[in-house]
Amino acid sequence: NTVQGLGQDPDSDEAAVDKAVKAAKKAFNGWKNLSVGKRADYLNKAADVLEKDLDKFAVAESRDQVSKH
């Protein structure tokens, strides 16, 4: 039984991490100002996308977990 790689983790340096943290903080300011209903709309849309290809996601997640052991 072989495990096929699905991708690679990025090799991020300190500058890339700092950039990602700044982007996340900037995005959070907009997120926290949204109404609960609007946040729910976004999360439901994300769930719809995930559920559309749930079988593919489950296989990918299973492979990812296997490759860590």
Side-chain angles (χ1 to χ4, degrees), residues 5-59:
L6 298 175
Q8 294 181 322
D9 292 329
D11 187 16
S12 301
D13 60 11
E14 186 175 344
V17 172
D18 286 344
K19 183 178 178 181
V21 169
K22 287 178 185 175
K25 286 180 179 180
K26 183 178 178 183
F28 179 71
N29 286 330
W31 178 257
K32 73 178 182 180
N33 292 323
L34 292 176
S35 68
V36 172
K38 194 66 174 173
R39 288 184 200 181
D41 289 342
Y42 282 118
L43 293 173
N44 284 323
K45 286 179 185 177
D48 290 344
V49 169
L50 179 61
E51 288 173 349
K52 178 181 169 198
D53 290 320
L54 189 56
D55 290 341
K56 291 178 186 176
F57 178 77
V59 169

